[in-house]
Amino acid sequence: MVPKQKARRQKAPAPRADGELRAGILPTLIGYRLRLAQQAIFRDFAEHVPWLSPGRAGMLILVEANPGVTQSRLARAMSLDRSTMVGLVDVLEERGLLERRRGEDRRTNSLWLTRGGRQLLARVKRRIAEHEARVGSRLAAPERAQLMSLLDKLR
Amino acid sequence: MVPKQKARRQKAPAPRADGELRAGILPTLIGYRLRLAQQAIFRDFAEHVPWLSPGRAGMLILVEANPGVTQSRLARAMSLDRSTMVGLVDVLEERGLLERRRGEDRRTNSLWLTRGGRQLLARVKRRIAEHEARVGSRLAAPERAQLMSLLDKLR
DNA sequence: TATTGTTATACTCTATAACTATA
DNA sequence: TATAGTTATAGAGTATAACAATA
């Protein structure tokens, strides 16, 4: 029989001098570090690209690169459910950024940027370029390339 | 006067042979690649650590490493609002994983893992270790260290 | 006065199930 | 039968504002 561990009341350890919490195993985990890095980048994005969330900006970029794409194809490309895409398209259509047109296969909607959508997206892309330069400036150029390749391996 | 751009109707480009969408500038963006990598890792976590989300598991890890921590201190450590922490503690307390105790400063609640919480966390940490090994196995050891350091620079 | 925990409320993002029009 | 879009509904996860208890 394995010796039973003595039951002991939990006790608070001496608090750390700097007032920070002990982080346990969290900093050893790739997913945790990834999340912190991403939060920092999303914070910068939200601050400097105030018109759209990263996801919605990404969606406009995909529609621009694939004019006339159907909702379902776009949903698949973004790993979203078809029903989730409906609300996303609703919002961007109400804001006058894109429009649905009846597809040749009449079950489908094809998606097209409006003039306003193209104009906003041009501005957004300039801001994103600045955002990317600012974020990327924390790394040397070869480091940036290295990071991209390492991130790819995690997929 | 700048020459006006000729108004032209959008046209669908030839569809790609592989059926995939064109990704536009997305793959050039650090934030986009970061998100894809994180989604892959969260997917693995959800599949192999079925009892808790990454955020809740992280919270238990912090309480274990800081027994008796107050709700507010924990919220600050996790970058959450105090009011958000209330519901998080409610859920984990209802599941019998941790408990509130009246603090010495009687405005505060101090948080402690229950026996059940310690037992579940031990199992969770074993699964997390396997998860981390599986995810990390996509990288060579020096690559993993390199990734950690690059991610840190983005914060 | 300032801080802690709490409640009420709301917003974003996402999914599942069931429906309809069309193929 | 199968697919595309839609609706109703629900569940995470998060925040702000206002309040009572306590410092």
Side-chain angles (χ1 to χ4, degrees), chain A residues 77-123:
Chain A
M78 296 175 68
S79 303
L80 296 176
D81 189 86
R82 269 160 33 240
S83 66
T84 301
M85 183 53 65
V86 173
L88 225 37
V89 173
D90 283 349
V91 166
L92 296 178
E93 190 168 42
E94 280 156 20
R95 285 183 57 180
L97 302 177
L98 56 75
E99 58 177 354
R100 294 169 158 105
R101 293 189 200 148
R102 167 63 73 97
E104 192 182 351
D105 174 342
R106 299 209 322 287
R107 292 172 300 186
T108 65
N109 290 334
S110 64
L111 302 178
W112 307 80
L113 294 187
T114 61
R115 168 172 301 276
R118 284 191 295 275
Q119 286 171 351
L120 178 62
L121 184 53
R123 238 179 312 152

Side-chain angles (χ1 to χ4, degrees), chain A residues 36-57:
Chain A
L36 292 184
Q38 198 178 12
Q39 280 176 344
I41 287 178
F42 272 38
R43 205 159 38 238
D44 184 280
F45 189 102
E47 195 174 323
H48 293 93
V49 192
W51 308 285
L52 292 167
S53 68
R56 289 175 183 181

Side-chain angles (χ1 to χ4, degrees), chain A residues 10 19 21-22 28 30 33 35 38 65-66 73 113 118 132 138 143-144 148 152-154, chain B residues 10 19 21-22 28 30 33 35 38 65-66 73 113 118 132 138 143-144 148 152-154:
Chain A
Q10 289 178 77
L21 294 194
R22 290 169 208 276
T28 70
I30 292 177
R33 302 258 202 141
R35 185 159 63 89
Q38 198 178 12
N66 302 274
R73 288 233 305 152
L113 294 187
R118 284 191 295 275
E132 188 67 13
R138 299 172 200 165
E143 286 179 331
R144 187 177 185 285
M148 293 296 213
D152 264 5
K153 294 189 181 183
L154 293 178
Chain B
Q10 288 177 75
L21 295 194
R22 293 169 207 274
T28 70
I30 292 176
R33 302 258 202 139
R35 186 160 63 91
Q38 198 178 11
N66 302 275
R73 288 233 305 152
L113 294 187
R118 284 190 296 275
E132 188 67 13
R138 299 171 201 166
E143 286 180 332
R144 187 177 184 285
M148 292 297 213
D152 264 4
K153 294 189 181 183
L154 293 179

Side-chain angles (χ1 to χ4, degrees), chain B residues 43-119:
Chain B
R43 205 160 37 240
D44 184 280
F45 189 102
E47 195 175 323
H48 293 94
V49 192
W51 308 285
L52 292 168
S53 67
R56 289 174 183 181
M59 174 163 159
L60 290 189
I61 288 168
L62 289 178
V63 174
E64 182 187 51
N66 302 275
V69 66
T70 66
Q71 291 186 195
S72 278
R73 288 233 305 152
L74 188 55
R76 273 193 298 274
M78 296 175 68
S79 304
L80 296 176
D81 189 86
R82 271 164 27 244
S83 66
T84 302
M85 184 53 65
V86 173
L88 226 36
V89 173
D90 283 348
V91 166
L92 296 178
E93 190 168 43
E94 280 157 22
R95 285 184 58 181
L97 301 177
L98 57 75
E99 58 178 353
R100 293 169 158 106
R101 294 189 201 150
R102 165 65 72 97
E104 191 181 350
D105 175 341
R106 296 205 327 286
R107 292 171 301 186
T108 65
N109 289 334
S110 65
L111 301 178
W112 307 80
L113 294 187
T114 62
R115 169 171 301 275
R118 284 190 296 275
Q119 286 171 352

